Amino acid sequence: MVKLINLSLVWSLFFNLLAFHLVAQQNMTNVYGRRVQLLNGKWDAIVDLYDQGRKNKIYLNKKPENKTDFYEYAFENGIRLNVPSDWNSQMSELKYYEGTIWYGRKFDAVEASGDRLFLYFGAVSYRCRIYLNGKEIGQHEGGFTPFQVEITDAVKENDNFLVVEVNNTRRIDAIPAMAFDWWNYGGITRDVFLVSTPKVFIDDYFIQLDKNKSDKINAQVKLSEKLANSFVTIEIPELQLKRTLETNAFGEVKTSFTSTEIKRWSPAVPKLYHVKISTQTDKIEEEIGFRNIGVRGEDILLNGQPIFLKSISFHEEIPQREGRAFSQSDALMLLCEAKALGCNMIRLAHYPQNEYIVRMAEKMGFMLWEEIPIWQGIDFENESTKKKAVKMMREMIARDKNRCALTFWGVANETQPSEQRNAFIRHLIATCRSMDTTRLITAAFDLVRFNKEKEIFVMDDPFIKELDVVAVNKYLGWYHHWPVSPDKAVWDVAKGQPLIISEFGGEALYGKTGEKDVASSWSEDYQATLYKDNLKMFKHIPNLRGISPWVLFDFRSPFRFHPTNQGGWNRKGLVSDQGYRKKAWYLIKEYYENNL
Ligand code: GCU
C-alpha cells in the first residue's frame, strides 16, 4: 500500500522553511556608524482594516494595462504618513486604530557605494512583512528592536518599490500581550535606512571593560563571513592601544588590552573613547565608555564604589505631540528633563527605546535599565511566546551591548509566581548571560505585602535569589493604603541583596489643588503628600540602593478612563503632558540633591 504523503504536512514544512528564510536578520552592529541612505519621510499608505491587502497582492502596486483591467487600490494619491512616527498621532481617525496599514514608497539606490545593500528598520510596531519590487523579502515581530533585510540581489539601481505591511493587533501570544498600561502605537516608528557595505564587512563587535578589572578591555570582532586568515585592526588612539589580529575559521578575532590609563565612565564623568575597527575592505568607528558594574552584598558598585541610583522612568513618548518619541530632539527633551531632576539613572520603561535615547543618555551620564515588555499577562506556557521573548532579548542586547551606560538588563515587570514564569524568566536570564556577562540582571516585582502579625513588609517569591538586584514596584498611598505610618514602616525584603524601588507614585492633574489627604482629589497637593510619605519610608529600608519614581511625564493609556482627571492619560507624571512640573517634581529634585 503506497503510503499517501500527507500533503498538508509537506506544504506546512515548505512554508515554515520559507518563513524561516524570510525572518529578518539580526542587525549588524552600529548601523549609525555607517554611511546610510535615509528612507525617512512621507510614505504612501493604505488602511487595510479587514486584512484584504495580502490576498489581493497590493504590494505589486499594479496599474491597469488594458481596457478591462482595474484595481481597487493604489498607493499613490491616498493618505501619506510620516516615517518614522506612529500612525495614531498623525490622523484623528487613526488615534485608536488597531489593525493593518500598508506603507509604500519608491526609492533609487543612489548612494549604494558598497557591494552589498541592506534595509534597516529601527523598529516597526508590532509585526510586519517587507516587500520589495513585488516580492516578500522579510518579516519581523516585536515593536521595539531593530532588524535588517539584505536586498543586494533584489534591488534595482532606480525605481524600486518598497512596501511594508504593518499590523499592531494585540495577541495573547505577543509581547506585550492583550492589555498594557501604555498606548498601542502602531507604525514604522523609528528610522529606515539603506545601508551599503563591502562584500565582507565588520558585522559585530563587543568592546567593554572586563567585569572585574579596571585596566583590562576585552574585545571581540566578527566579520560578516566565516573568513579565516583575514586581518582586523582594533584601535583606541587616546590610550595608545592598537592591535592587528588574524581571524579564525569563523571570521572572528578575540583579544584583550591592558592599560592603566583608562578613565572609567560614570554619571559624574561620562568619559567615552574613540574606537576604530578596520579590515582591508571595511572600517567603523564609535565612542565607547569603560566602567565596572557589580554587586557586593547589599551594595551596587560602580567602578568599585557603592552608588545609590537616583532614577526615573519614562515611556518613549512625547506627550505634547501625543506620540512616540523617535528623533534626536525628542531624546534631548526627555533626557534634559531627567537631568534637571537630578537623576543619575533612567529605567527605560517598558521596552527597548530608540538608539538616540540610549546613546544620548550615555553621553549625558545616565546609567540605564533596559527591558523587553514582559509586562503582566504574558503567556508563560506558550513555547512560541518564549521564543519571541528570547529573540527580542537578543536583538536588544545585540544593539546596545557596547553602551557602557547600560548597567541593568530587566527581565520582567510584575509577573506572578509560578513554575512556568520561573522557567520562562530563567531562560531569559540565561540568554542575557550567554551574550553579556558584564551587566547586572534585575526584574521588577509587585509582590511586597504587609505582614500584619509581624507588622513588617515582606516578599516571599524565592525567585528573587536568581537576580543580581531585586526591584519592587510599590504604590503605597495610591493602590495600597498605609498599614503603618511611613516613618514606622519596616521592610524585610531581599535581605542580603541590593533593593531598588523601581516604581512608586500616584496621580495628579497638573494645576489641580485640593485636600492633601484625599486621593480622589487628584490634586498636586495629594501627590506631594504621597511622595513625602514614601521618601520618609525609604529612609528605613536598610538594603535600599535606589529609587525610580513612576513616572517622569504623564503618558497616554487606554487604562485611564476618568473623564476629567485622566481622559486617556496616566497622570502619575512628575511633569504634565504639557510639560509643566508638578509639586512632587520639586520634592524629588530636593531629595536627589540633598539627601543622598
Ligand atoms: C505598574 C506598571 C506600570 C503602570 C503603573 C501604574 O507598576 O509597571 O507600567 O503604568 O503600575 O499603574 O501607573
Side-chain angles (χ1 to χ4, degrees):
M1 164 73 168
V2 174
K3 197 164 181 305
L4 285 176
I5 297 171
N6 176 341
L7 269 183
S8 64
L9 177 65
V10 171
W11 275 119
S12 73
L13 281 174
F14 168 74
F15 280 113
N16 281 333
L17 265 178
L18 181 70
F20 176 76
H21 169 71
L22 285 173
V23 168
Q25 301 157 310
Q26 185 161 295
N27 241 48
M28 66 184 81
T29 296
N30 187 17
V31 163
Y32 286 80
R34 289 195 174 276
R35 251 172 40 69
V36 298
Q37 177 179 332
L38 295 184
L39 294 181
N40 291 347
K42 290 265 185 212
W43 290 40
D44 296 321
I46 296 173
V47 178
D48 181 8
L49 184 59
Y50 290 169
D51 282 311
Q52 298 298 301
R54 200 182 306 157
K55 75 175 185 182
N56 291 320
K57 298 188 175 29
I58 65 172
Y59 49 85
L60 298 174
N61 198 26
K62 283 198 150 190
K63 299 290 175 268
E65 290 170 354
N66 55 47
K67 289 185 179 174
T68 56
D69 276 354
F70 69 91
Y71 293 98
E72 295 185 82
Y73 70 87
F75 279 91
E76 302 75 12
N77 308 316
I79 65 170
R80 288 172 57 69
L81 294 175
N82 287 318
V83 170
S85 174
D86 59 274
W87 59 55
N88 315 71
S89 58
Q90 295 195 53
M91 298 173 66
S92 56
E93 303 90 319
L94 298 179
K95 176 176 179 179
Y96 292 100
Y97 184 71
E98 194 171 285
T100 298
I101 290 186
W102 293 78
Y103 288 75
R105 66 158 290 166
K106 288 190 171 60
F107 72 89
D108 299 333
V110 289
E111 297 178 27
S113 56
D115 307 324
R116 299 173 70 174
L117 209 51
F118 295 82
L119 268 174
Y120 160 87
F121 291 84
V124 179
S125 179
Y126 164 83
R127 55 183 70 79
C128 64
R129 290 177 184 236
I130 319 291
Y131 306 83
L132 181 64
N133 301 326
K135 285 195 181 55
E136 183 175 346
I137 57 168
Q139 301 175 12
H140 186 264
E141 178 171 349
F144 304 100
T145 45
F147 58 93
Q148 67 187 37
V149 183
E150 182 159 10
I151 59 171
T152 310
D153 301 329
V155 72
K156 302 179 292 187
E157 196 171 327
N158 297 305
D159 213 22
N160 292 283
F161 192 67
L162 172 62
V163 172
V164 184
E165 177 188 358
V166 183
N167 177 279
N168 71 333
T169 305
R170 287 160 300 117
R171 294 214 179 111
I172 184 65
D173 67 339
I175 299 170
M178 293 305 288
F180 36 89
D181 193 17
W182 64 87
W183 208 262
N184 180 29
Y185 288 114
I188 302 178
T189 48
R190 294 183 192 160
D191 288 334
V192 183
F193 298 153
L194 266 186
V195 188
S196 54
T197 71
K199 184 159 177 33
V200 179
F201 61 92
I202 298 160
D203 184 34
D204 188 26
Y205 55 87
F206 187 12
I207 301 175
Q208 285 285 290
L209 197 60
D210 184 274
K211 176 141 182 90
N212 303 308
K213 293 211 170 61
S214 59
D215 60 356
K216 183 181 176 191
I217 294 172
N218 297 320
Q220 51 195 28
V221 179
K222 182 171 157 302
L223 299 183
S224 56
E225 316 307 315
K226 291 188 171 58
L227 196 63
N229 314 117
S230 184
F231 292 95
V232 177
T233 301
I234 304 169
E235 197 178 350
I236 309 176
E238 193 179 336
L239 293 174
Q240 293 88 43
L241 299 174
K242 182 172 182 175
R243 191 167 299 153
T244 298
L245 303 122
E246 202 169 336
T247 54
N248 63 18
F250 299 101
E252 296 168 343
V253 296
K254 227 181 216 180
T255 188
S256 296
F257 297 95
T258 302
S259 168
T260 54
E261 304 302 312
I262 299 167
K263 292 187 194 70
R264 289 182 289 181
W265 181 96
S266 70
V269 185
K271 170 72 181 164
L272 299 176
Y273 285 90
H274 194 70
V275 176
K276 297 181 191 177
I277 304 166
S278 56
T279 65
Q280 287 103 317
T281 59
D282 194 16
K283 71 177 172 59
I284 195 155
E285 308 182 17
E286 74 165 308
E287 306 296 305
I288 293 182
F290 303 111
R291 53 94 190 96
N292 299 105
I293 186 76
V295 163
R296 183 179 58 210
E298 295 179 344
D299 284 335
I300 296 169
L301 302 180
L302 177 70
N303 299 330
Q305 297 305 314
I307 186 165
F308 189 91
L309 306 174
K310 302 187 277 189
S311 183
I312 191 70
S313 292
F314 57 64
H315 271 289
E316 188 185 39
E317 181 183 74
I318 299 300
Q320 298 89 331
R321 192 171 65 220
E322 298 193 16
R324 276 265 170 259
F326 48 76
S327 67
Q328 281 179 293
S329 56
D330 289 344
L332 206 50
M333 191 285 275
L334 293 167
L335 293 168
C336 285
E337 193 56 41
K339 186 58 85 176
L341 188 59
C343 303
N344 63 10
M345 173 162 146
I346 296 166
R347 179 188 176 196
L348 295 174
H350 281 292
Y351 34 76
Q353 301 195 8
N354 67 67
E355 209 164 345
Y356 296 121
I357 289 177
V358 171
R359 286 178 177 273
M360 204 178 287
E362 181 173 71
K363 286 189 170 65
M364 291 172 71
F366 292 104
M367 296 165 73
L368 294 174
W369 160 332
E370 206 168 33
E371 61 192 65
I372 62 171
I374 299 289
W375 191 97
Q376 300 177 15
I378 299 294
D379 186 0
F380 290 131
E381 301 188 25
N382 184 328
E383 271 310 304
S384 98
T385 305
K386 189 194 284 187
K387 286 197 180 80
K388 290 175 190 173
V390 167
K391 186 166 176 292
M392 288 177 193
M393 205 81 194
R394 297 186 68 80
E395 289 174 344
M396 172 176 76
I397 296 174
R399 186 193 76 174
D400 293 338
K401 61 183 180 289
N402 288 306
R403 305 278 69 78
C404 70
L406 257 182
T407 36
F408 301 89
W409 297 124
V411 290
N413 184 69
E414 302 192 349
T415 57
Q416 300 313 309
S418 77
E419 258 323 297
Q420 294 79 0
R421 186 265 336 238
N422 293 354
F424 191 105
I425 305 297
R426 273 192 196 108
H427 202 66
L428 289 186
I429 293 173
T431 302
C432 282
R433 296 210 196 283
S434 71
M435 292 181 76
D436 164 36
T437 57
T438 68
R439 290 172 176 87
L440 300 178
I441 291 178
T442 185
F445 296 86
D446 60 345
L447 300 169
V448 167
R449 61 183 179 82
F450 186 68
N451 178 317
K452 292 195 181 69
E453 293 68 49
K454 297 181 183 172
E455 291 219 311
I456 58 171
F457 288 95
V458 295
M459 178 167 135
D460 33 29
D461 183 344
F463 189 77
I464 58 174
K465 286 290 174 214
E466 304 189 31
L467 301 167
D468 296 314
V469 176
V470 179
V472 166
N473 298 346
K474 190 68 184 171
Y475 285 90
L476 286 163
W478 194 250
Y479 298 125
H480 308 286
H481 307 309
W482 288 97
V484 290
S485 68
D487 53 354
K488 299 273 186 296
V490 175
W491 281 53
D492 178 5
V493 173
K495 272 264 167 58
Q497 290 178 271
L499 175 68
I500 307 176
I501 301 293
S502 40
E503 289 183 33
F504 72 97
E507 300 207 15
L509 184 62
Y510 170 69
K512 191 159 187 193
T513 55
E515 303 89 324
K516 63 180 184 177
D517 58 348
V518 175
S520 59
S521 68
W522 238 274
S523 64
E524 287 193 47
D525 308 285
Y526 182 80
Q527 188 187 46
T529 303
L530 180 150
Y531 268 78
K532 284 176 194 154
D533 289 345
N534 277 278
L535 294 177
K536 263 184 221 156
M537 174 178 73
F538 294 155
K539 292 192 185 329
H540 305 292
I541 303 178
N543 57 331
L544 184 66
R545 297 297 178 269
I547 65 169
S548 192
W550 185 259
V551 66
L552 184 58
F553 281 93
D554 290 353
F555 62 92
R556 297 179 71 197
S557 167
F559 274 23
R560 309 297 167 175
F561 310 119
H562 193 285
T564 50
N565 293 325
Q566 294 178 312
W569 290 85
N570 181 315
R571 297 288 184 199
K572 294 190 183 67
L574 293 173
V575 185
S576 77
D577 58 295
Q578 294 304 303
Y580 284 93
R581 295 165 180 170
K582 302 174 192 174
K583 288 177 179 164
W585 186 96
Y586 298 91
L587 295 173
I588 290 296
K589 167 85 177 163
E590 199 278 334
Y591 184 76
Y592 280 172
E593 243 163 34
N594 306 323
N595 288 268
L596 297 164

